[in-house]
Amino acid sequence: MVLEALAVDDETPRKSLADVAYENIRDRLLTLKIRPGDLLNDDLLARDLGVGRTPVREALKRLELDRLVVSYPRRGTFATRVEVTDLAFISEIRTQLEPLAASRAARVATDAARERLQAVMHAVETFDIASATAVETLQLDAQVHQGIYAAAANPHLEDVLIRYDNLATRIWCMVLDRLPDLSHHVHEHVDLLRAVIDGDEAKSAELARAHVIGFEHAIREALFAA
């Protein structure tokens, strides 16, 4: 069954079959429907997605660049494993770049971009986390972060941050059932979005950094409590 894309993709008149395959396989990897270490069979994926093998193979090449899969000659393509050390490496990068994106978005976002962030903020404020599925929660988180990345109007920064946000999402999914309360994590996005919309660069950077650090601490507690 095709999943709704977690990542916030640009609206285009028509997506290629490779794009469709990429988005759906990516989301299965992020939500651990394809588990770390699993073999990805391009024939089975092609039949499941209703596309040919060529789009699936193109998608797998893109996913390898995203560090979500790894290919070995004569062995096949596997979902990358998630190690505890990955969390520190990913957080180290996000702690530097998330504040940069947030402060830049506060400074350069267009009126249209701020309106889009306002809509996302409203979605966060009205989000019922108690009845939401894990995928719905992840989708909302992606809307917040990737909305800010887009508003920062630096495509190179956006590309890097989307990749690392995806890797962080995978780790989050590993411990999602062990996190006691996600409401604080979700709703603290409101202050961050408001700071960006209001053009407060310093506060945006500060809240973005605190959010990443808080995320890492919560994941570590869940990992080591297991």
Side-chain angles (χ1 to χ4, degrees):
M1 179 176 179
V2 175
L3 292 171
E4 182 180 350
L6 286 181
V8 180
D9 297 296
D10 291 337
E11 293 185 2
T12 54
R14 180 179 301 173
K15 293 177 181 177
S16 69
L17 292 177
D19 288 335
V20 171
Y22 169 80
E23 290 173 10
N24 282 277
I25 299 170
R26 175 201 61 200
D27 288 354
R28 296 178 190 200
L29 289 161
L30 296 186
T31 57
L32 305 185
K33 291 185 181 297
I34 299 175
R35 302 286 302 179
D38 281 355
L39 174 67
L40 282 78
N41 184 297
D42 52 4
D43 283 328
L44 292 178
L45 286 169
R47 287 200 295 271
D48 190 36
L49 296 174
V51 300
R53 291 175 64 186
T54 298
V56 169
R57 288 175 175 173
E58 291 177 14
L60 293 177
K61 289 178 182 178
R62 289 174 61 185
L63 290 163
E64 187 162 21
L65 293 175
D66 292 342
R67 296 181 179 272
L68 292 173
V69 305
V70 59
S71 296
Y72 299 102
R74 295 181 297 279
R75 288 181 56 197
T77 300
F78 298 81
T80 53
R81 297 193 178 277
V82 179
E83 308 292 345
V84 175
T85 51
D86 292 337
L87 177 61
F89 294 144
I90 293 166
S91 295
E92 183 177 32
I93 294 169
R94 294 182 72 221
T95 301
Q96 298 299 315
L97 296 187
E98 291 275 355
L100 174 62
S103 62
R104 179 175 170 81
R107 184 173 71 253
V108 308
T110 63
D111 290 342
R114 293 180 202 275
E115 287 180 8
R116 287 192 290 270
L117 292 179
Q118 186 78 43
V120 174
M121 187 172 72
H122 177 71
V124 175
E125 290 174 324
T126 58
F127 188 69
D128 183 3
I129 194 166
S131 61
T133 65
V135 170
E136 288 170 340
T137 303
L138 294 170
Q139 286 172 339
L140 183 69
D141 189 78
Q143 286 179 352
V144 172
H145 288 281
Q146 295 182 31
I148 293 173
Y149 306 158
N154 181 330
H156 302 287
L157 178 61
E158 181 180 8
D159 181 61
V160 170
L161 275 170
I162 286 175
R163 291 186 182 191
Y164 282 98
D165 186 58
N166 284 342
L167 293 174
T169 296
R170 260 183 114 210
I171 298 174
W172 187 12
C173 283
M174 288 185 65
V175 298
L176 196 58
D177 59 342
R178 288 175 250 160
L179 295 174
D181 182 16
L182 287 174
S183 59
H184 175 71
H185 174 85
V186 171
H187 290 292
E188 70 182 13
H189 285 130
V190 172
D191 290 337
L192 172 58
L193 288 165
R194 184 175 289 115
V196 173
I197 293 166
D198 291 345
D200 191 331
E201 295 180 48
K203 187 173 183 180
S204 296
E206 175 189 348
L207 291 173
R209 183 177 292 107
H211 183 71
V212 173
I213 292 172
F215 171 84
E216 181 183 8
H217 287 170
I219 298 300
R220 284 191 179 280
E221 287 182 2
L223 284 170
F224 292 112

